[in-house]
Each structure stands twice: as structure tokens, then as C-alpha cells.
Amino acid sequence: MSAAGGRATSAPLMGRASEPSLFELGEQGRRSASFRTNGLPEWSISELVPERFRAAEPVALAEVAERDLVAHFTRLTHRQYSVDLGAYPLGSCTMKYNPKSCDAAAAMPGFAEVHPGSPPSIIQGWLEVLVELEEALCAITGMAAATLQPAAGAAGELTGLLLMRAYHDAHGEHRPRVIIPDSAHGTNPASVALSGYEVVTVGTNARGGVDLDHLREVLDTDVAGMMLTNPNTLGLFEEDIVEVTNAVHDVGGLMYYDGANLNAILGVVRPGDMGFDIVHLNVHKTFATPHGGGGPGAGPVAVNEHLTDFLPGPKPVRLPDGHFGFETPPRSIGRLHSWHGNALVLLRAWAYLRLNGADGLRGVAEAAVLNANWLKERLRGVYEIPFDRPVMHECVLSAETLEKETGLRALDVAKRLLELGFHAPTVYFPLIVHEALMIEPTETESPQTVAALAEALELIATEARAAGSAEQAKAAPRTTPVGRVDETRAARHLVATFDQRGDVAD
Amino acid sequence: MSAPFVPHTDGEISEMLAFLGLSSLDELFASVPAAIRLAGGLDLPDQWSEADLRDRLEDLAANNRPVGRQLVCFAGAGAYDHEIPAVVRALASRSEFVTAYTPYQPEVAQGVLQALFEYQTMVARLTGLEIANASLYDGAAALVEGVNMAVAHTGHSSVLVSDGVNPRWRQQLQTFSRGPGHEIARVPLVGGVTDWEHAAAATADRVGAVVVATPNYLGCLEDLSAAQQVSHRLGAGLVVCFDPVAAGVLKTPGSLGADIVVGEGQAFGTPLSFGGPYLGLFACRLEDVRRLPGRLVGETVDVEGRTAYVTTLRAREQDIRRERASSNVCTNQTLMAVTAAIQLGWLGTAGLVEVATRSARAARYCREALLALDGVEPAAPAPVLREFALRTPLEPQLLIERLLEEGFLAGTPVEEGFVGTDYAGSLLVATTERRTRAEIDAFAAAFDKAVR
């Protein structure tokens, strides 16, 4: 018998069977949808749409009863790890627990059911939230103004680089190059290229910071600016940050702050005080929007007073009469979003900032840094610490020696950790560390959880050393919904839709 | 420390500090030069409790007017008031979907990965192309990526864009074109649809992409085969901005020669949300899959031969290809994509046809009712589906304000300068399957009163 119909079995839980696709669960003629009684004339499609535009056949979709729809997607949720379930120590991703009250804010009809094309007279509440968020983000970063339009961090990067370009254009300068450290996130070089700049990579010194001598070598008046994450992707604060920003400013370049790791320095130091001119924030990481399996996010960009005229528009503003409206800055680079940005994500960020206040944000940074340092010290001697100094919000360890001695690779550590009940850390990043394990516990994991994570990581290394092989970890994970996935086959025999299934020979 | 979502007790903090050989939390930040450290804390309002927050949110929400029974929505322009049933809200808000990260470890992310695989299948079918990605930020972002992809494919940087494409999407395209240096040329509308004769006169032999929307911003149905002929003649890629709801009754853009199809997927289960987060739909031909922006989920097997899903063709993406990547996208809109898959599961084949048909019925009924009023004229004569532009005796901003008082969001004004002077200053009205005869009758009566 086919899988069709309401076989509401729990078999697909945790690996006992695959979950059929929704298309296989369908049965022609079955349905869930119902609509308002509308009293309208029942014109047929042929009366409504001229023949030349009309489809001969409707697009085929799965046809399921509501009960089966619920069973299918509920079973899928049982095959999915999430922050609400357990720790998610993915380095650079800041997978903290997100307060439910922020989700509740975003679900309020008074915010969620507002049409973005509404006139300002009926969106005063929304505009007030956005203006207050802009003000708070400026206070946190030490900047003068911000745009909330960019939909995610990468869009924020592109925005910042277009602002950089507009600034130099306005000064009649053509500067073709942007500097990026070799430890940078991949979005940085990709954004630089997409904004029409050429990437110049600068090296990392022995202490894990920007190599100042190398930086000075590549600096000249062709340099439009430099993108920097601080703390960087090694989890280290750039000790020479003032020298770095001064050197770039000395040749007329601008400093761009990648806010991916802002969590570590909330209330401790502001990018503006380090000498940055442009700052993007990943509010979905730092200010608690759940990541949704890959998105949505929001990537506001804040700038200092030299760049405010170039910000995208239209921009929510406080009007002299106390009401709120829109304004486009005089030399705006233009629009970056169809409407006003990822508003419900921004609302969550606003709510999170209010729940924390200044003290709470400082506490976030302190606990995040405390957890990361404790974990690093706890794992000293278990894994290598390639750049051995106190870290900020995350630590980068290496399994290089273990790999040589036992064959245990960072990937194996990750897979064995899944089996032990935790999500894996980020592996093989940053690229400058061999067999990298990049671990970010975040501030919301208790000391007990961090200790348990450390124990699990220790067990993986200890058992490999004891056995003299990585056999145990290579077989992992065995307790997850599926075992190790054949990624090569996925790429070689691409099946990216249900309809391509038949095209692939086994 | 007084951070409400940090579990550590004071005693635990002391123990952890002692383990590190430190005596205060401040010492954790020793690597931050003293000269730049923030003295005196952040200048932010005091901490609120959850109850304080709720009170303030209710006050702020009271200064917004959501659509619903008290404000019947006739506004569209890329954001639509569609039915979202309880089952979709319930499933889409499951915390396993909401609080997961990007599926970098497929063994514990089969739920999101399989939902995305199903979503990709649905989008491919709706567009009539073989491959769809796992989502982009929104329709406008999908358009930008589509143009970048077509330009990269052809190596030609001129882009012909119909004035029928949503003007805000075109503004965004213009902004993001400054980096790669695309030259954007407008193709005007005549009678509400793109005047391809005008494009034919263009000398451009370096055209990389031709962009058209159907239904277009004014709601009019475009002849895609005419656009296809132009793009074919110029050797350019045809990028079609489509309305996925209209896919319930119209021929697919893929079947009419589109190389890349982009669209806004908000209509499938995402609330109006004051404009975001929405859902960027993106589809292309199988032969172009290696240039596809964003994530792609593929089906494979695990070590025991069980069906499994994984993000694939990863070498296209920014974290691997870095400055040679054709797109910088990383975070996408997975939750909205999963939501769309659930909504389309709820609709099924017949349900999608019904949404499109009911929307079109409401549009015809509403358009006829409004055109019967004195001084109201069609702004464009071409056939429409579920959205239409009107010339009104009163300027649209004023008309909209007046109708707010009667409980209607009457539409959106067509902006000056972006859709051609023939259409600027008209009122764009949209209907969905949620509009009833009673609502439209009351709307027409209020409209009549307002324009008198």
C-alpha cells in the first residue's frame, strides 16, 4: 500500500523510518482549505482570464487532509534539533535562547497585520518602534544614525560598502580596493566583490590579530576601506584596533565593522570608540530573533556623522510635532528593501533591548565571555588552542594533533557530539586554523550545560586516544534520525525536487 | 549582573571566575584597550519586565491600524491580505522550525531540510522551471539576484526593465546595480502593458537581462511570449517577476520561455507584517543550477541507505567561494519557506485555483462597482487578474485618508515618476480571496461618498 492517507504513525521519529514526502502522502481529491462565504458572482476562470493567458491544467500540489498535514509536519519537527531543545554551540552564529515574550510581540495583530503601504497616520506605533530601535542601535554602537532596511547581515555588508562608495564618490575619489583579514567570514569578500571592489587580504599575526605590518604594506590611497569583525572569528579582541583604524584613516579609508560578533562587547566597548565609521548589526543573532532554520534575520547599518546623508531611504523619523513620518536623506544611496526592512525581526530586537536595558546587555556580554573562557580552559590539554590567549564570546580549538595521532577529524568530533546529544560546533572555520572547532556557548547556557558540553568534547578525544583510532567517532552519529549523509551523491546526482526523483538511476 | 536571560547565579559566576584565576568580570575584558572602554554604561532606557513590555506594546499597537474587520484591506502593491488558517499558524510556529539554525549538520536537521525540499518542489512547479532555491529575502531581493545571475551568464551588463515591474523593486535593483555596474534601461508601458516595440528600437547589443512582471504593478497581464522574443533576439536572459497566487490559473512563466522566475511568496502563509520578513521565490533552469544564488537542498541517502536531505552544490556559496561567489546571501527566509510549504499543503491543487479565482472574481466585481461611480476611470485598459489601477476625481492620498475613517484601506497611490506619467497619481486597488460582496458593496458606497 502506498503511503497516501492518514497513517499517523510515529515511525519516522529518530530514524526508525523515513518520512514520506507530502506529495506521497497526498490522495487526489482530498482537501483541507476552506474560504470565507463571499456572496460574489461565481464567474468561471474562462470568464475572468483571456484564453491566451490561461493554464490548461492547474499546478499540481499535494492534496492532503488537515489531519495528515499536521501529522506530516509534526513528524518533521521530531527530526529536527533546535535551540529550544538544547545547546547549539555553533561558533560565529550566536545561537542563544530567544525569549518567548519577543515572539509574542511579533505575533500581536496590532503589529503583524499592518499593511506596509499604509499611510503614516495609521502606523505611528510601528514608526515609533523603528525610530526608538535606531536610537538604541546608535547608542550601542556609538554611531549617529542607522538604516533598518537591510534584510540580513550580508545585505547589511553590501549596504555598508555602497555607503563607502558613495562617500568616496562625493569626495571625488576613486578607490578600487577593500581590505579584509584572512580570518573573515565568507560573506565579506563576496560582498566586496558584489559592490564592485577588489579584495585585498591581510594576514593574521601570531597573537591572532590583524598583522599590522602587512596592513601598512597594503595601505595606500587606492584603499576605500577595511572590513573587520571585532572580536574576530578566532574569538579574539583585536588588541591593536586603535592602530588599525588610525592607519586606515590615515590613507583616507573608512573602517567597516562586521557586527557578527557584537554580542561579546555589548556595554563594554562601542565600535564607534574603536574608530569604525560604518557598522552592521545582525540583530537576529545579538538581539534574539530565533533563526528559523536559516532565516529570517535583519541587518541594520549604523554610520557616523560623516555618512548620515548617504543612508538609504525612506527612513522612519521623529517629526518636530512629536509624530512620526518618513524622510529620505539628501544624498541617499537609494532603497534597499521593498518596504521598511524585516519589521517583525526589528520589533523583536526592540523588545529584547527593552527587556535587557543597559545592565542586561552588559550582563549578556559578561556571561557570554565567561562561558567561552571557562570552556576553553576546561578543554586545555584535550584539544589544542592555536592562539592561546583569553577569548571573548567564542573559542577556536583544533583537533590537528588528534587527527595525526588517531585519525579523529574535526568533522568526526562534530558527528560524535550530535550522538551525545549536543549540536556540533562550527568546524573548519576560520580557514586559517587546521581542523578547527569553533565553539560559542552563548550567555544563555548555564554553567552546568557548558560543563556537560565540555565533558562530551573531552570524552570524544579521550576515547580516540585510548583506542588509538577514531573508530567510535567515524561511525557516528547513530542515534540521530539519519546517519552520516552522502553529500557527494547529493551533488553528483542532483535531486532538488520531488519531480527529479525519477531522473536519477540508483 | 542583572541580565534576565542569563541563568548564572552570583555563586556560579564567582566559581567560574576563580577557575579562570580572575577576581572580577571586568578582568574578562583585559584585551580591550582601556582608552576605548565604555565608561558609565550604555545610554539606554531602564530594563523592563515582560509585563511592562506587554503594556507598552499594547499602547504602541493601539497607534497602528491592522487590517481586519475594522479596516478592510484593498491595498496590495506586493503585500496581500490572504487567508492564513489556524493550522498553518500552529505548525509554522513550532519551535523546532522557529529556533533551528541553518542546517549545517544534516543528521539533526532533516525536518527543516525535508520541508525545504518540498518547498523547492512546489516553487518549481508554480514557476514551470526545474530548479528552485531554498528562498531569498523577498521578491525584490530575488529580482536583484536574478538580474545578477542573468548578467553573469551572458557577460552583458545592460538590463532592460519593464516599467510594469514593482517600482520599489526597481529602486532596489538600481541601488544594488551600482556595485556590479549594470546599466538599467526602462521599457515604458502603453495601455498598461510593456511596449516591447520601444525595446526593439533600443540599439543595445550588450543586453544581459530582460525583466518583465506579470501580472504587472498595475495588475495587468503581460504577454510573456513578446518579452521572450525580445530577450531571445538580444541573446539576453528573460527574468520574469510572477505572482505565485496567479499561478493558480495562468500559464507558468517557465512554459512561456522564462529563464529565471522570481516572485514574492508572502501570500503563502506570511502575515502582512508591515513589509517583512517576506519570502523571495527564485527558480531557474536545471542547466543553470551551478549559478543559482542561495541554498539548495538535495535528496540523497545516509550510510544505511535511508532517504536523507542535505544542502548541496555548496561550492556556489559565499562561505566556500568567497570573493568569486556570484551572491553573498547567507541568512535567507527559511521559516517563511517552510510556512509556504505548509500553506500550499493546506491549499492543495484545488485550493490554489480557488484562491486565484476568488481573488479575480472580487477584483472584477470591485472594479465594476468603482467604475460605475462618477469620475472614476480605469488607468489602464489591459486585462487584469486581481489588482487594478483607477483614476479618481480626488487625489489618492486624500481619498485613502477619507476612506480610513469609513473602515477601509482603499489601496496604495501609484508613485510619481516610476510607472510613467500616464499612471502616476492613480490608485492601485487589490482584492484577495478574503474579500466579500458585502465588503465591496460597502467599500463602493463609501468610495462614492468620499469622491463626491
Side-chain angles (χ1 to χ4, degrees):
Chain A
M1 187 179 147
S2 79
R7 289 199 290 168
T9 156
S10 67
L13 295 191
M14 305 319 275
R16 277 177 291 150
S18 298
E19 170 65 10
S21 80
L22 191 65
F23 309 101
E24 293 160 279
L25 288 168
E27 191 68 62
Q28 210 179 344
R30 189 165 280 153
R31 58 183 306 173
S32 304
S34 67
F35 302 96
R36 289 180 96 181
T37 304
N38 64 19
L40 287 165
E42 300 209 337
W43 291 304
S44 67
I45 299 170
S46 56
E47 290 171 280
L48 293 163
V49 181
E51 204 260 328
R52 67 182 190 278
F53 298 111
R54 222 160 48 224
E57 290 287 326
V59 173
L61 294 169
E63 295 176 279
V64 294
E66 180 170 321
R67 195 273 166 278
D68 300 329
L69 188 70
V70 170
H72 174 65
F73 283 100
T74 303
R75 288 193 296 258
L76 289 186
T77 65
H78 285 264
R79 295 162 68 79
Q80 180 65 45
Y81 196 89
S82 62
V83 170
D84 278 7
L85 183 66
Y88 229 119
L90 274 167
S92 233
C93 301
T94 315
M95 285 296 284
K96 59 172 80 177
Y97 164 75
N98 309 127
K100 296 298 172 193
S101 49
C102 299
D103 290 348
M108 288 173 69
F111 290 101
E113 311 290 343
V114 175
H115 193 284
S118 302
S121 61
I122 63 165
I123 53 173
Q124 289 293 303
W126 254 121
L127 295 178
E128 187 165 357
V129 165
L130 296 180
V131 167
E132 285 190 4
L133 177 63
E134 182 192 345
E135 290 165 354
L137 298 181
C138 287
I140 290 164
T141 55
M143 292 285 132
T147 172
L148 304 178
Q149 286 190 21
E157 291 177 17
L158 208 40
T159 304
L161 290 159
L162 291 172
L163 289 166
M164 195 181 276
R165 175 179 282 277
Y167 172 86
H168 291 305
D169 285 350
H171 290 80
E173 289 190 0
H174 174 67
R175 291 169 172 256
R177 293 206 275 275
V178 171
I179 298 174
I180 296 178
D182 57 4
S183 62
H185 294 111
T187 48
N188 287 182
S191 298
V192 168
L194 276 173
S195 56
Y197 283 118
E198 196 185 310
V199 177
V200 179
T201 304
V202 68
T204 299
N205 66 25
R207 288 181 58 75
V210 170
D211 182 338
L212 257 179
D213 294 333
H214 189 195
L215 175 65
R216 291 197 170 110
E217 271 170 42
V218 299
L219 277 176
D220 58 31
T221 52
D222 274 356
V223 171
M226 176 174 187
M227 296 181 88
L228 195 61
T229 310
N230 191 22
N232 63 26
T233 61
L234 294 163
L236 303 172
F237 194 86
E238 292 284 350
E239 298 164 307
D240 301 328
I241 186 62
V242 177
E243 288 77 8
V244 168
T245 57
N246 283 343
V248 172
H249 286 157
D250 283 348
V251 297
L254 295 177
M255 284 301 299
Y256 179 100
Y257 182 87
D258 177 330
N261 296 339
L262 186 69
N263 206 50
I265 58 163
L266 296 169
V268 176
V269 57
R270 302 181 304 175
D273 299 325
M274 300 180 208
F276 286 93
D277 306 286
I278 305 169
V279 177
H280 95 251
L281 299 96
N282 300 75
V283 297
H284 48 291
K285 291 181 178 184
T286 318
F287 304 133
T289 284
H291 212 279
V301 173
V303 296
N304 66 17
E305 64 281 6
H306 304 299
L307 289 141
T308 52
D309 282 357
F310 303 104
L311 283 173
K315 194 170 167 295
V317 290
R318 205 184 285 276
L319 300 172
D321 66 359
H323 286 87
F324 296 87
F326 291 102
E327 212 173 79
T328 296
R331 293 189 281 180
S332 174
I333 59 168
R335 185 183 272 285
L336 296 163
H337 191 271
S338 314
W339 301 104
H340 320 295
N342 278 348
L344 290 180
V345 177
L346 298 167
L347 174 66
R348 282 184 171 92
W350 175 91
Y352 181 82
L353 293 175
R354 289 293 177 265
L355 290 169
N356 276 281
D359 290 350
L361 291 184
R362 167 96 191 188
V364 163
E366 287 170 347
V369 175
L370 182 64
N371 274 352
N373 277 289
W374 190 92
L375 187 73
K376 183 193 80 155
E377 286 307 318
R378 173 65 180 72
L379 291 171
R380 181 178 291 282
V382 179
Y383 297 91
E384 292 140 280
I385 305 172
F387 296 92
D388 192 3
R389 60 182 174 99
V391 296
M392 301 296 279
H393 62 298
E394 66 193 357
C395 57
V396 177
L397 306 177
S398 167
E400 193 175 3
T401 309
L402 266 169
E403 199 270 330
K404 281 185 192 130
E405 290 168 6
T406 70
L408 183 76
R409 304 195 61 210
L411 182 73
D412 304 320
V413 176
K415 300 303 183 194
R416 178 84 172 107
L417 198 59
L418 300 179
E419 190 169 75
L420 295 172
F422 286 102
H423 197 278
T426 298
V427 288
Y428 302 106
F429 189 81
L431 306 174
I432 56 175
V433 173
H434 297 294
E435 300 298 330
L437 295 161
M438 185 193 210
I439 314 175
E440 182 177 7
T442 82
E443 73 281 2
T444 57
E445 296 309 333
S446 68
Q448 291 75 17
T449 300
V450 179
L453 173 64
E455 271 164 41
L457 283 162
E458 185 177 43
L459 172 70
I460 297 166
T462 311
E463 69 194 8
R465 284 201 180 95
S469 88
E471 206 176 321
Q472 179 81 332
K474 296 271 183 212
R478 287 155 293 204
T479 57
T480 46
V482 295
R484 279 202 204 190
V485 171
D486 188 344
E487 301 192 15
T488 309
R489 175 185 159 123
R492 280 213 189 123
H493 306 283
L494 181 69
V495 180
T497 69
F498 182 72
D499 302 321
Q500 286 176 289
R501 262 189 188 174
D503 302 345
V504 177
D506 277 321
Chain B
M1 191 198 289
S2 66
F5 307 105
V6 169
H8 304 52
T9 65
D10 289 347
E12 287 169 341
I13 288 170
S14 301
E15 280 174 37
M16 291 174 83
L17 286 171
F19 178 73
L20 296 173
L22 303 177
S23 55
S24 78
L25 287 165
D26 281 350
E27 289 172 32
L28 289 168
F29 300 98
S31 57
V32 179
I36 56 171
R37 271 189 236 170
L38 185 67
L42 290 169
D43 182 18
L44 289 176
D46 288 341
Q47 199 173 85
W48 292 351
S49 69
E50 177 174 336
D52 298 335
L53 172 70
R54 201 167 50 234
D55 289 348
R56 182 68 186 130
L57 282 165
E58 281 179 19
D59 291 346
L60 286 164
N63 292 334
N64 295 327
R65 286 186 67 189
V67 303
R69 300 286 273 177
Q70 305 303 316
L71 185 68
V72 179
C73 184
F74 288 90
Y80 301 95
D81 174 34
H82 284 286
E83 183 69 27
I84 306 176
V87 64
V88 172
R89 291 184 195 268
L91 289 173
S93 60
R94 296 270 311 192
S95 74
E96 297 87 346
F97 290 137
V98 174
T99 76
Y101 196 70
T102 303
Y104 288 143
Q105 296 291 338
E107 295 84 358
V108 291
Q110 289 298 300
V112 165
L113 286 163
Q114 185 170 339
L116 287 174
F117 178 80
E118 294 173 2
Y119 161 84
Q120 289 173 182
T121 303
M122 293 172 191
V123 176
R125 289 181 182 181
L126 291 170
T127 56
L129 289 172
E130 292 108 321
I131 295 290
N133 74 7
S135 79
L136 293 167
Y137 308 137
D138 59 12
L143 170 61
V144 173
E145 295 282 358
V147 167
N148 285 347
M149 181 171 163
V151 166
H153 186 82
T154 58
H156 293 159
S157 62
S158 286
V159 182
L160 293 183
V161 184
S162 159
D163 270 3
V165 175
N166 184 320
R168 284 180 306 277
W169 295 21
R170 283 187 282 130
Q171 288 174 307
Q172 187 171 334
L173 178 63
Q174 190 77 48
T175 306
F176 284 118
S177 289
R178 239 165 261 150
H182 308 327
E183 300 126 44
I184 311 270
R186 287 170 64 175
V187 185
L189 304 181
V190 170
V193 294
T194 313
D195 177 18
W196 293 112
E197 295 297 317
H198 185 274
T203 53
D205 59 352
R206 293 182 49 254
V207 177
V210 171
V211 185
V212 64
T214 188
N216 67 22
Y217 190 63
L218 301 174
C220 300
L221 298 172
E222 290 271 5
D223 179 2
L224 287 187
S225 46
Q228 197 275 336
Q229 282 164 21
V230 171
S231 70
H232 184 76
R233 186 170 52 76
L234 296 171
L238 178 61
V239 180
V240 175
C241 308
F242 89 132
D243 173 356
V245 165
V249 293
L250 301 185
K251 288 176 182 162
T252 62
S255 70
L256 295 169
D259 298 297
I260 295 167
V261 178
V262 299
E264 177 49 68
Q266 174 266 332
F268 298 142
T270 294
L272 286 165
S273 312
F274 198 50
Y278 281 3
L279 171 62
L281 309 174
F282 192 103
C284 71
R285 298 176 191 276
L286 180 58
E287 68 216 50
D288 297 327
V289 69
R290 280 169 208 282
R291 292 179 195 274
L292 181 78
R295 284 186 204 111
L296 181 68
V297 174
E299 189 175 79
T300 181
V301 293
D302 76 351
V303 281
E304 292 183 30
R306 292 174 293 199
T307 300
Y309 300 89
V310 66
T311 54
T312 193
L313 302 185
R314 293 268 294 119
R316 299 165 295 114
E317 292 187 53
Q318 46 75 28
D319 54 328
I320 295 175
R321 196 168 281 257
R322 299 176 77 84
E323 66 265 30
R324 289 173 292 115
S326 56
S327 165
N328 70 341
V329 70
C330 179
T331 290
N332 58 14
Q333 312 281 123
T334 296
L335 186 61
M336 282 70 222
V338 171
T339 304
I342 299 168
Q343 176 90 5
L344 286 165
W346 177 75
L347 285 172
T349 306
L352 181 64
V353 172
E354 200 154 336
V355 170
T357 308
R358 283 169 173 256
S359 300
R361 284 175 186 154
R364 168 166 298 180
Y365 186 80
C366 186
R367 189 166 182 262
E368 285 176 1
L370 297 177
L371 287 176
L373 306 179
D374 276 350
V376 179
E377 302 290 339
V384 298
L385 189 71
R386 59 129 154 191
E387 197 158 12
F388 52 90
L390 298 174
R391 298 221 150 272
T392 55
L394 203 61
E395 71 167 72
Q397 282 84 351
L398 197 54
L399 179 60
I400 290 166
E401 283 296 337
R402 284 196 189 168
L403 285 166
L404 285 176
E405 291 162 28
E406 308 297 321
F408 299 99
L409 184 57
T412 50
V414 175
E415 301 82 347
E416 200 74 44
F418 285 100
V419 195
T421 45
D422 290 358
Y423 313 100
S426 57
L427 177 73
L428 191 58
V429 178
T431 54
T432 67
E433 82 287 1
R434 289 181 45 74
R435 294 291 71 83
T436 67
R437 180 178 197 147
E439 287 171 343
I440 296 168
D441 288 343
F443 177 52
F447 203 104
D448 189 26
K449 206 176 95 187
V451 296
R452 265 173 208 273

